[in-house]
Amino acid sequence: MTVPTAVSRGPVFMFAERVFGRTSAVPLSRQAADDERAEAAKAEAWDLVRAAQDGDSSAFGRLYDRYVDVVYRYVLFRLGDRDLAEDVTSETFLRALRRITSVSYQGRDVGAWFVTIARNLVLDHVKSSRFKLEVVTDEVTEPGSAPFSVGAATQVGPEQEAISRATRAELLRCVAELGDDQRECIVLRFLQGLSVAETAEIMNRNEGAIKALQHRAVRRLAQLLPTGLR
């Protein structure tokens, strides 16, 4: 069987993109501007890494400020425990600080490196303890913050906000029902907004495997989501 190299952009996938802070159709000029900003941000982050490697402690502090929310939300979604997520996030950056001289530029955002450290800590916790995954939606879906930020030009009333929150919570509930690998792929690709290459690096798979995994995960979500949300 031939696995598609890209997920079909059907209603479920476009809905997932919209809810997880993406748009299904972006003008080329805007996409180019977004790509340019993303590249500039990536370059700036690696400049901070190099400064931290040269002993600039304030540079690592700026890296922490830039990526702490990304790491915390990833860990919180994986473990479902706020206190534990805070501990794992703190340990992630302590390990990163100790290993800062070992990381080198590989064409990807340095955030993928932080998330990889966090992922390994999460896996260590899962192996060493018994716990029940509980998705915490109030912080993961906090309005006005990544990954569900609303543009400054977008005005939503309280009723629409309530509907949007309920919709996000329902989708997250369905994501929590996916298998471990599918769930992590969806979290990294859509909640964290990482590229296929970055997701592949974190999950220790090749890009083709990630595309196939994402395809299966979206198809499974299509089965889990209530008809009205598809």
Side-chain angles (χ1 to χ4, degrees):
M1 180 181 68
T2 302
V3 178
T5 57
V7 176
S8 174
R9 299 178 68 85
V12 173
F13 189 73
M14 288 188 288
F15 173 80
E17 282 190 321
R18 185 172 67 252
V19 172
F20 287 131
R22 304 259 181 126
T23 56
S24 57
V26 179
L28 291 179
S29 59
R30 178 180 169 188
Q31 183 64 57
D34 289 345
D35 290 345
E36 185 176 346
R37 283 193 293 270
E39 285 299 314
K42 182 170 67 176
E44 181 183 1
W46 281 106
D47 285 343
L48 291 173
V49 169
R50 285 185 282 270
Q53 291 172 334
D54 290 336
D56 185 347
S57 58
S58 66
F60 189 85
R62 291 170 64 187
L63 286 169
Y64 175 89
D65 291 339
R66 181 181 294 231
Y67 293 107
V68 64
D69 286 344
V70 171
V71 171
Y72 174 75
R73 290 173 186 274
Y74 170 79
V75 176
L76 178 62
F77 192 93
R78 291 296 306 276
L79 299 179
D81 183 301
R82 296 182 185 86
D83 292 337
L84 182 58
E86 290 177 359
D87 291 342
V88 171
T89 299
S90 295
E91 180 62 23
T92 295
F93 284 95
L94 285 174
R95 290 196 181 187
L97 180 59
R98 291 196 293 266
R99 301 174 183 175
I100 192 67
T101 57
S102 68
V103 65
S104 59
Y105 179 74
Q106 296 179 345
R108 299 172 182 137
D109 189 89
V110 70
W113 180 61
F114 288 114
V115 174
T116 298
I117 296 173
R119 179 179 187 263
N120 290 335
L121 288 169
V122 168
L123 293 177
D124 288 344
H125 175 76
V126 171
K127 292 176 183 177
S128 64
S129 64
R130 297 176 61 186
F131 74 99
K132 177 182 178 182
L133 175 66
E134 297 179 356
V135 178
V136 182
T137 60
D138 59 341
E139 290 187 38
V140 173
T141 63
E142 181 181 357
S145 59
F148 305 115
S149 58
V150 178
T154 302
Q155 299 295 328
V156 294
E159 292 183 1
Q160 183 59 45
E161 177 57 39
I163 293 173
S164 296
R165 178 180 287 275
T167 300
R168 292 191 295 264
E170 180 63 21
L171 184 56
L172 286 172
R173 183 192 64 76
C174 293
V175 170
E177 294 185 20
L178 297 173
D180 289 344
D181 287 344
Q182 290 184 0
R183 181 172 60 245
E184 181 164 28
C185 181
I186 291 295
V187 168
L188 292 172
R189 290 285 288 119
F190 295 121
L191 267 81
Q192 301 302 99
L194 299 182
S195 67
V196 170
E198 290 166 341
T199 301
E201 180 182 12
I202 290 170
M203 296 187 70
N204 296 316
R205 301 192 180 195
N206 61 49
E207 294 183 24
I210 292 300
K211 291 176 182 178
L213 183 62
Q214 177 179 298
H215 176 76
R216 292 194 297 271
V218 172
R219 286 177 63 89
R220 179 57 180 155
L221 275 178
Q223 298 170 347
L224 292 172
L225 282 170
T227 303
L229 296 183
R230 298 179 186 178

